[in-house]
Amino acid sequence: VDQAGSDPGVGQCLKSHPECRHSRRLGQIAALEAARGVTAAEIGVELARYDQGFRDARSTFKVDERQCRGKGPVTLVEFSDFECPHCALLRPALEKFASDNATRVKLCWMSFPLSQFPNSMPAAQAALLARDKGKLWPVHDAIFENQRRLSADVLQEILVKAGIPAADWKKA
């Protein structure tokens, strides 16, 4: 939308403001969709939805500081599942990035159990119990390290090794 409040279109916007990253991204989306055979009307709807996302108010949420590493002013929140292989693959890169940028980035973990994995919810519960006992990160790391063999017994073993009594796990 231009200063007068009208929508000149992506093409016109790109001509008058070639440095605008937002317009370039809209143009890329339109070109990709057109190449796939999407109609102009459908592309217009998709671009409008994409553009609207920048106009809507951003949602905020509070991250539990006990679930964060680092002290940087930028907070990176990872939503992950302990049994998800993609989460496990991304984990080392995220942790290296956070470690390399520790003064600029705070990496926080949020549990996001996926229903297709049988031990997702118990693993998330074990991690939250560990958080409450001040042992989140060693338990978090051990759960990921044991991803392929997770079970109630393995989770209990991990918690006990971290100094959390089995009785606390049974109550959780």
Side-chain angles (χ1 to χ4, degrees):
V1 177
D2 64 17
Q3 292 174 341
S6 63
D7 186 354
V10 175
Q12 182 59 42
C13 192
L14 282 168
K15 286 179 188 170
S16 42
H17 306 287
E19 72 285 350
C20 176
R21 290 184 303 156
H22 183 62
S23 295
R24 279 199 313 258
R25 179 67 185 135
L26 287 170
Q28 290 169 338
I29 291 170
L32 287 170
E33 293 299 289
R36 287 184 33 222
V38 176
T39 68
E42 291 170 320
I43 292 171
V45 169
E46 184 175 349
L47 294 181
R49 283 188 188 137
Y50 177 86
D51 190 53
Q52 185 60 41
F54 293 97
R55 299 183 198 304
D56 293 341
R58 296 288 182 229
S59 298
T60 59
F61 61 92
K62 179 91 172 103
V63 178
D64 187 326
E65 293 297 320
R66 298 174 295 173
Q67 294 176 212
C68 300
R69 290 179 175 167
K71 301 287 182 201
V74 175
T75 301
L76 177 61
V77 181
E78 172 198 14
F79 290 84
S80 71
D81 177 289
F82 287 111
E83 285 192 294
C84 170
H86 306 289
C87 296
L89 283 172
L90 181 62
R91 185 175 149 255
L94 270 179
E95 290 181 357
K96 181 176 180 350
F97 176 79
S99 175
D100 290 351
N101 296 283
T103 60
R104 299 183 321 204
V105 174
K106 174 172 51 175
L107 175 62
C108 302
W109 168 82
M110 296 287 283
S111 173
F112 192 77
L114 300 170
S115 61
Q116 68 260 39
F117 300 115
N119 294 294
S120 291
M121 190 60 74
Q125 290 169 329
L128 295 177
L129 172 63
R131 175 204 62 196
D132 293 346
K133 302 288 185 179
K135 310 270 183 156
L136 171 66
W137 292 109
V139 169
H140 167 278
D141 295 345
I143 293 173
F144 266 120
E145 288 162 13
N146 289 279
Q147 181 185 60
R148 293 180 185 254
R149 62 182 211 97
L150 282 184
S151 67
D153 290 341
V154 170
L155 291 169
Q156 181 173 310
E157 175 186 310
I158 290 168
L159 290 167
V160 168
K161 193 178 229 180
I164 299 168
D168 289 359
W169 171 235
K170 288 182 181 7
K171 284 191 282 187

